[in-house]
Amino acid sequence: MSSFCSFSDLLKTRQMLRRLFSACCKGRKRKTHLKEPRGTLELGNLIGNGSSGQVYKGHNLKTNKVVAIKMMNPSEDTQKEIKTEIEIHKEVSRHKNIASFYGAYQQRGSIMMPIMIEMEFCGGGTLFELINSPFCRGLPEHCIAYVCREVLKGLSRLQKKQIMHRDIKSHNIAITEDASIRLIDFGLARKVKRFWPCKELQGTPHYIAPEVWTCSSYDFKCDIWALGITAIEMAETSCPLLHLQGEAVGKEIVSGDPPTLSRPRRWSPAFNSFIDLCLTKDPKDRPMAKFLLQEHHFITELQDEMQVKAEMKDLIRRLNAAKHLASKTAEDIANAAVEEVPSDVVVSLDTKKEKTAENAEEAASEVQVDEPASEEVVEAISKQDVSSTDIMGKKDTIGHIKIGEPEKDVEASTTPKEDPLQSSEKAPELSVAQDLSPQEEVGSTDTEEEQTTVCHIDMGDSEEAPHTSFQSSKEAPVLEENTGD
Ligand SMILES: Nc1ncnc2c1ncn2[C@@H]1O[C@H](COP(=O)(O)OP(=O)(O)OP(=O)(O)O)[C@@H](O)[C@H]1O
C-alpha cells in the first residue's frame, strides 16, 4: 500500500482542519457577562478620574472587602472596548503584579447603563502620585529597580497571555499600602495576533514607542519602551520631552536619539544601561521582559528588598497623610467659603486653595512616619441617576491616539483648582436593593483567587494631568434602583 496521500485526501484533511479550527475559535468566544450591582456594591469616595471613567473606593457587601470600582458610561462606540477591557483584565488578573479583578457589573434596564469593574483597591495610590508628592524629589535607584522589576514581572505575565498593555506609565502603576506594585487600566490592552499585526497608534504620547508612532507592526516591546520612559520619570520626577505635546513628541521620538537620563553620571552604569536597552529604537533589538528580569544586573542585583519596601512604605504613609490632610482642609475651606466669601468667590478661593496646598505640604512634611494613613469611610450617598454622571475626562484624539499630556506644569487657571492630593469627594452610591438577579453576568470572578500579572495601555487625558485626578466637585452618581426590567 502506498504511504502517499492523494491530492483529494489532502484537500479533505485541509477542510477538516479548517472546520476544526473555526469550531475551536467559536468555542473560545466568550460572552462578557455583567452582574447586577445592587445589593453587592456600595460606592465610597472618588479616588481617580481617567479619560474612560471614574474610579471610586467601594465596599463589596458580600465579601466585605474594600475594593476599587471603575465606572464607565458605555456609548455605541465604546461598548466593545469596555468589554475588551473587562475580558483582558479578568484573564490576566491572577498575578501578584496585577490589580485583582473581582467582577464586572451593569445595572439592569439598558445596555447604556454604566458598567462597573470591581477590582482590588490599591491603597498606596499610583506611582505618578508618589513621585509627584511634595516630599519626593525622585526615587532612589534601588526603589526604581524594585518598581521596574515588579512591572517587568507583570509584563511577563501579560506576554504569556499574548497581551500587550499599550499604556504603561506612572499613572497606571498602582501601589498597595504594603508597597506591592500592581498594573492597572487595561483599556488599551490587546491580544498580539501573529497573522494580524497591530498597527494602531495608541497610547499616551510621551510613553509611545517609535514603532507605534510610525504605525509599523508592533508587539509587547512597546511596553518595554514605556517602562524605560517611566524609569526616567521615577528618577527625575518628569518624563522626557515634557515640553513637547502630541505629535511633536512623536516626531522627536522617531527622528531623534532615544531619551536618556539628563545627568547620567549621577546614576549607576547598570541603571544607565537598563534605560539604554529599554529605549532601543529598533524593537527587534529591544529585549523582552523575561530577558531583563533574568539577565540584567540592574534588576537581578537588587538587594535588601525589605529595606526598599520599608522606604516605599514610608513614602506611601506620608502621601496618604498628605491626602488626608488636604481633603480635611478642603472641607474646612469649602465650609468657610460658603459663610465668608461673598462676591469675589473665584479669587478668594484660589488664594485659599493655594494656602491650603502649602499648609498640607508643610503639614505632610511634619507628619510622623507612624501617622496612620487616611482611611475614608465608605459611605452610602443619596440615590441619583448614574447615567447622568459625566465620566468622560478631557481627551484629545489624533487618529487612534488619546493624546494625554502628562504635564506637570499646568498653568493656573482663574477658576479654583483643587489640590490633586485631595479626594474628599463622595462617590455615587450603588443603591443596595434586595433583588440580585444577575442580569448578564460578566466577570464573575473568584474574589479570592491567587493573583497573577497583567497590564494594558491607554492614552490618558494629558491635559488633565494626574494632578487633576482628584478634582471634580461633582458628587458621584448613585445607582438608582431599577424598576423597569
Ligand atoms: N485599583 C485601584 N486602586 C486604587 N486606585 C485606582 C485603581 N484603579 C484606578 N485607580 C485610580 O483611578 C485612576 C484612573 O483609573 P484608570 O487609569 O483605570 O482610568 P482610565 O479612565 O482608564 O484612565 P486614563 O485616562 O489613564 O485612560 C488611576 O490613575 C488611579 O489614580
Side-chain angles (χ1 to χ4, degrees), residues 44-50 53-58 67-71 117 119 121 184 427 470:
N45 290 344
L46 181 70
I47 52 175
N49 206 349
Q54 290 165 316
V55 180
Y56 297 92
K57 190 172 179 180
V67 295
I69 299 166
K70 181 169 178 177
M71 189 179 274
I117 299 178
M119 63 185 136
F121 171 68
I184 56 170
F470 290 95

Side-chain angles (χ1 to χ4, degrees), residues 316-337:
I316 292 161
R317 270 196 290 266
R318 294 173 72 185
L319 174 64
N320 278 344
K323 281 184 191 176
H324 186 62
L325 276 169
S327 71
K328 284 275 168 233
T329 320
E331 261 174 42
D332 292 347
I333 284 174
N335 292 339

Side-chain angles (χ1 to χ4, degrees), residues 47-48 50-53 55 68 70 119-122 126 129 169 171-172 184-185 402 458 460-461:
I47 52 175
S51 55
S52 66
V55 180
K70 181 169 178 177
M119 63 185 136
E120 175 186 10
F121 171 68
C122 301
T126 62
E129 289 172 74
K169 56 180 177 178
H171 311 64
N172 289 337
I184 56 170
D185 191 359
K402 282 195 229 161
D458 134 38
D461 48 320

Side-chain angles (χ1 to χ4, degrees), residues 283-337:
K284 288 193 200 85
D285 299 330
R286 201 180 304 146
M288 302 286 269
K290 199 173 165 195
F291 174 86
L292 291 167
L293 267 176
Q294 294 176 352
E295 305 288 338
H296 201 283
H297 40 297
F298 179 61
I299 301 296
T300 55
E301 283 171 20
L302 176 66
Q303 278 160 3
D304 206 353
E305 184 169 337
M306 296 275 277
Q307 174 61 27
V308 174
K309 283 187 98 170
E311 278 180 50
M312 298 278 293
K313 273 193 225 171
D314 180 31
L315 283 174
I316 292 161
R317 270 196 290 266
R318 294 173 72 185
L319 174 64
N320 278 344
K323 281 184 191 176
H324 186 62
L325 276 169
S327 71
K328 284 275 168 233
T329 320
E331 261 174 42
D332 292 347
I333 284 174
N335 292 339

Side-chain angles (χ1 to χ4, degrees), residues 99-112:
S100 296
F101 173 90
Y102 294 148
Y105 303 80
Q106 186 172 38
Q107 201 176 15
R108 283 182 179 190
S110 139
I111 53 167
M112 291 306 161

